[in-house]
Amino acid sequence: MDRRDFIRVAGTAVSAAAGLGCGTEPAYAEGADKSSLQNVSWDKAPCRYCGTGCGVEVAVQENKVVAVRGDEKSPVNQGLLCAKGYHLPGMLYGKDRLKFPMRRNAAGKLEKISWNEALDLIAEKFQTALKEHGPESVGVYGSGQWTIFDGYAASKWVKGGMRSNNLDPNARLCMASAVMGFVTQFQSDEPMGCYDDLDVGDDFILWGNNMAEMHPVLFSRMLENKRKNPRVRIVDIATRWTPTSDFADMYVQINPGSDLALANGILHLLLANGEINEAFINENVVFRRGIEDLEQIGYGCFDEQSEKYGFKDEAKESSLDELKEFIKEYTPEKVSELTGVSVAQIKSLAQMYGDSARGTVSMWCMGVNQHVRGTWMNNLITDLHLITGKISRPGSNPFSLTGQPSACGTAREVGTLSNRLPADMVVNNPEHRAKAEEIWKLEPGTINPKPGYHTVDMFRALTRGDLKALWIQVTNPWVTLPNLNRFQRKPGDGRFIVVSDIYPTPTTEMADLILPSAAWIEREGLFGNTERRTQHWNKMVDPPGEATEDAWQIMEVAKRMGMGHLFPWADEKNWHEQMYEEYRQFTLGTGKDLASYQQLKEQRGMRWPVVDGKETRYRYAAGHDPYVKKERGVHFYKAKGYGEKAAFWIRPYHPPAEVPDDDYPFWLTTGRVLEHWHTGSMTRRVKELHRAVPAAYCELNRADALALNISNGDKVKLSSRRGEVVLDVRVDGRGKPPKGSVFVPFFDETKLANLLTLDAMDNISKEPDFKKCAIKVEKV
């Protein structure tokens, strides 16, 4: 059946996916001669963009990518690609690719230098900082776009070589709250479910997650399930109407920052109506409470010197009876007042979670994670599944979606966060440090037990001058950091910043040294996606000019600093395999067992834990997880501190850190759009995607536009207490915010939304809240 016939007979689901830019036909690189594409070589790879991990087949001819197509053998996307995936070749061939190392001279101009000069300079600067100021004066800021090789090399060099824990990824800005949600409840990170839930679930409840644009291939699987099974229902809980809302059976508009109250309101009704699974709770769940006083916790970023900024939660035992008493105040009427959600909709949500005959999948992304109480909100969503027993079974799971291709595989699993080591281990645990030192063949006591700077702290330390040398790889913090005005450099500030990237960005403008990186299939790689699937790809084409992969850059600097022993196989042809198999030792026997290198080369990825060559679809589930020895049910075996049970955390409602007032009467929310990815440094160089959405804009409600005498296309100035930006207005566009609310995408480096945003953060996960702050709107 050809694609047109398939869409014609498939109906709404596939037609909708096509309307959102998804398709299955091959996409050709610009300038490719389709008639000459007979003698090309095809190979597999995961997509370079989001955390979905779609399989792509790449066509190469004469050392250039000439076409891509969705990989029909990939269990993730089964041949489907979104608009960004379709145009993958374009991200490699922008005219301004970085090709040579460049150093900024005394006049501020960039000059080309050799690799030896560049690597020697980095080694010299880092060694000087270590000698004069100690391990806390150096740092590496990485990425959920790092390959596993890159992240592992960085972790071993920083933590095992320089004895510093100042290593953090940009995933701190997007997934740290999900990490801490899973860790606080299961003492192990990452979801128990998988994408198969999309095919068999009955009710899909999306919390702050515009899935139709941000994860369109996964959304199409959900829609296909709905097409085949009319009983399937989709609920969109959101602060603005989006393309996801178009397909929802129920749209739940919620006041920004009130989701904690809504989740507690659902819990209230589940308990009041007796729709909880007490047998499951008694067998598998313990109850915990932490510090709940707002004044004691604070919002993290207002006063660096205060005790609130260094807040640490303290767990204490609780009970189901204590929960019943706590939850009494969250009546439907009170919750409706706090959230703006009708009592009827609150009751409908409770009925969905409470119906034991239907599978329920909760899915969330940045709306939940980028939140001053993001860890709490992750806890509460999972609580809804624990109290109903709807967890670790097909079609019933809490499922956190990720935005970067290896935020899970590299940032979370390799442990490139400031307090972590591979496979759920942490630097402040002596046994964990000892295991890492054994695998890395280090002297006992080498690894520093003190956690390093997390992302926001790292750039504050750079601004203060406490951080003397910083290496930034594969990310663009001078677009993505909140409250950007706080982080501007001054000439002659005495810091040394090196940036590895593939294109010029606002971050390379801040660099003293710029290194050209190999991108995607210009080097061998491994990514780990949202459903615990590790995927390998081969090098297929050469990078332009003198560009090299990030892991090689790190290993070469380590050699020059006398730390070559950390990478004894660095000069061998198969160093990728040897590095990976060393890393894999951390995972074996832990319940996070990774597949072998050879398995991954052959397969379209495998979901860990992989035991006896078999992947695992559902963690903690009898009959699925090889570590569960029970004949039926679940076993949360990683949670040793809870008696191998999951923790239900009681969490109250707290208001947002900043709310609209007379001076700044509008809410601002930021996010992504379908056509662009993150800061746009790649997608804005793809002609088709740039033409579709050439610039950032401001979505405004029609009633607000009329009141302010603003028309579609007019320019407005948005101002917050931190900065301002001028944008074109869109009224009744793809997204429709409610009255009193504004949405701005952050992909455009010429119109920086993060000049406006607030750098308050979750004091557990250290993730900033990009989703809620107060602004004013003025016509220009």
Side-chain angles (χ1 to χ4, degrees), residues 210 213 236 238-248 250-253 699 733-738:
N210 179 13
E213 286 195 88
D236 180 29
T239 58
R240 77 191 229 278
W241 185 280
T242 68
T244 301
S245 316
D246 293 333
F247 298 100
M250 182 166 71
Y251 170 62
V252 180
Q253 184 174 299
E699 289 179 0
R734 188 188 300 169
K736 300 174 181 64

Side-chain angles (χ1 to χ4, degrees), residues 339-639:
T339 63
V341 178
S342 71
V343 169
Q345 286 190 321
I346 297 168
K347 290 180 177 179
S348 293
L349 287 166
Q351 288 169 357
M352 290 183 188
Y353 278 106
D355 188 342
S356 60
R358 295 175 63 85
T360 304
V361 181
S362 299
M363 308 191 86
W364 68 95
C365 203
M366 297 306 104
V368 167
N369 294 331
Q370 292 175 337
H371 191 315
V372 288
R373 297 293 181 265
T375 301
W376 286 14
M377 193 56 214
N378 273 265
N379 290 158
L380 285 173
I381 292 174
T382 300
D383 285 349
L384 292 168
H385 288 264
L386 288 173
I387 205 164
T388 55
K390 292 186 171 185
I391 194 166
S392 289
R393 69 188 206 211
S396 274
N397 280 296
F399 198 92
S400 159
L401 292 167
T402 49
Q404 297 187 87
S406 204
C408 290
T410 303
R412 297 164 73 169
E413 292 162 24
V414 172
T416 60
L417 292 106
S418 59
N419 67 323
R420 288 171 73 88
L421 292 164
D424 280 338
M425 300 199 304
V426 291
V427 298
N428 54 350
N429 184 310
E431 293 180 3
H432 295 175
R433 294 197 304 276
K435 180 176 179 178
E437 287 162 352
E438 180 182 359
I439 292 174
W440 287 346
K441 296 180 173 60
L442 302 174
E443 289 292 325
T446 297
I447 296 174
N448 192 333
K450 180 183 177 182
Y453 293 127
H454 59 78
T455 295
V456 175
D457 260 2
M458 183 178 288
F459 284 90
R460 289 182 174 175
L462 182 72
T463 301
R464 291 193 307 266
D466 295 339
L467 200 64
K468 306 297 183 182
L470 176 65
W471 194 345
I472 300 167
Q473 289 194 334
V474 206
T475 188
N476 193 6
W478 266 275
V479 175
T480 58
L481 288 171
N483 192 4
L484 267 172
N485 281 320
R486 294 190 64 164
F487 303 110
Q488 300 308 313
R489 291 194 72 184
K490 297 177 182 178
D493 60 11
R495 311 343 169 226
F496 175 72
I497 299 177
V498 53
V499 176
S500 300
D501 213 326
I502 65 174
Y503 287 112
T505 68
T507 300
T508 62
E509 291 177 11
M510 298 290 173
D512 301 289
L513 178 66
I514 301 171
L515 302 181
S517 293
W520 193 36
I521 58 160
E522 296 169 350
R523 43 82 56 88
E524 182 177 348
L526 284 161
F527 282 159
N529 80 347
T530 304
E531 65 165 350
R532 298 172 280 108
R533 182 181 298 276
T534 312
Q535 302 187 83
H536 174 273
W537 73 91
N538 297 311
K539 178 182 177 181
M540 301 180 204
V541 297
D542 293 325
E546 298 177 6
T548 64
E549 61 184 287
D550 301 283
W552 178 87
Q553 298 172 20
I554 291 167
M555 292 190 294
E556 287 297 311
V557 169
K559 286 182 190 177
R560 286 162 169 79
M561 296 177 66
M563 302 174 188
H565 61 281
L566 295 172
F567 308 103
W569 18 254
D571 295 324
E572 298 183 27
K573 187 175 181 180
N574 69 335
W575 69 262
H576 292 91
E577 180 175 4
Q578 292 193 60
M579 176 187 281
Y580 174 77
E581 290 297 344
E582 178 185 282
Y583 159 56
R584 182 171 171 250
Q585 292 179 48
F586 283 93
T587 71
L588 299 179
T590 69
K592 305 199 81 168
D593 313 50
L594 293 173
S596 72
Y597 178 86
Q598 290 302 323
Q599 281 180 300
L600 295 176
K601 280 184 71 74
E602 296 165 5
Q603 303 291 330
R604 259 61 176 181
M606 297 186 76
R607 292 171 288 198
W608 58 260
V610 178
V611 177
D612 296 330
K614 298 179 181 179
E615 68 173 1
T616 299
R617 291 198 304 156
Y618 293 97
R619 294 178 79 190
Y620 312 127
H624 291 278
D625 189 331
Y627 283 88
V628 175
K629 305 307 179 185
K630 298 165 66 172
E631 291 187 5
R632 56 186 301 178
V634 301
H635 179 199
F636 299 113
Y637 55 87
K638 294 286 287 183

